[in-house]
Amino acid sequence: VVATVGSDGSGVVDELSSIAQTHGLHIEHSQITALSAEFAVLMTISGSDDKPHRIRKSLSTPKWRRPRSSVSS
């Protein structure tokens, strides 16, 4: 499960989708909620067992630390 909460902005969901695709992961389900200038995205992703740490690493870059992101496996 990928959970991201942060300031709303164009392209956030596209970037999350691109990260998943880059690492060979599939988005099984997603839920997006916008509240004023904030957003929350929950995504259930699937892929081989060695992949979740890769998306976790991608989301630990400074760009993704501002929106709070977490990945659980």
Side-chain angles (χ1 to χ4, degrees), residues 4-9 12 33 35-41 66-69:
T4 302
V5 179
S7 300
D8 197 6
V12 174
T33 301
L35 302 168
S36 188
E38 299 292 310
F39 75 93
V41 178
R66 182 97 173 100
R68 295 168 303 282
S69 302

Side-chain angles (χ1 to χ4, degrees), residues 22-70:
T22 297
H23 295 297
L25 298 165
H26 305 282
I27 299 170
E28 300 292 331
H29 180 76
S30 65
Q31 182 69 43
I32 303 167
T33 301
L35 302 168
S36 188
E38 299 292 310
F39 75 93
V41 178
L42 293 173
M43 291 182 175
T44 304
I45 56 174
S46 65
S48 64
D49 291 340
D50 67 334
K51 303 280 179 151
H53 76 280
R54 293 180 187 173
I55 196 168
R56 187 177 295 119
K57 185 176 180 179
S58 293
L59 293 174
S60 68
T61 62
K63 178 178 185 172
W64 286 101
R65 283 190 207 134
R66 182 97 173 100
R68 295 168 303 282
S69 302
S70 64

Side-chain angles (χ1 to χ4, degrees), residues 11-27:
V12 174
V13 174
D14 183 50
E15 288 184 47
L16 286 169
S17 299
S18 293
I19 290 170
Q21 183 179 14
T22 297
H23 295 297
L25 298 165
H26 305 282
I27 299 170

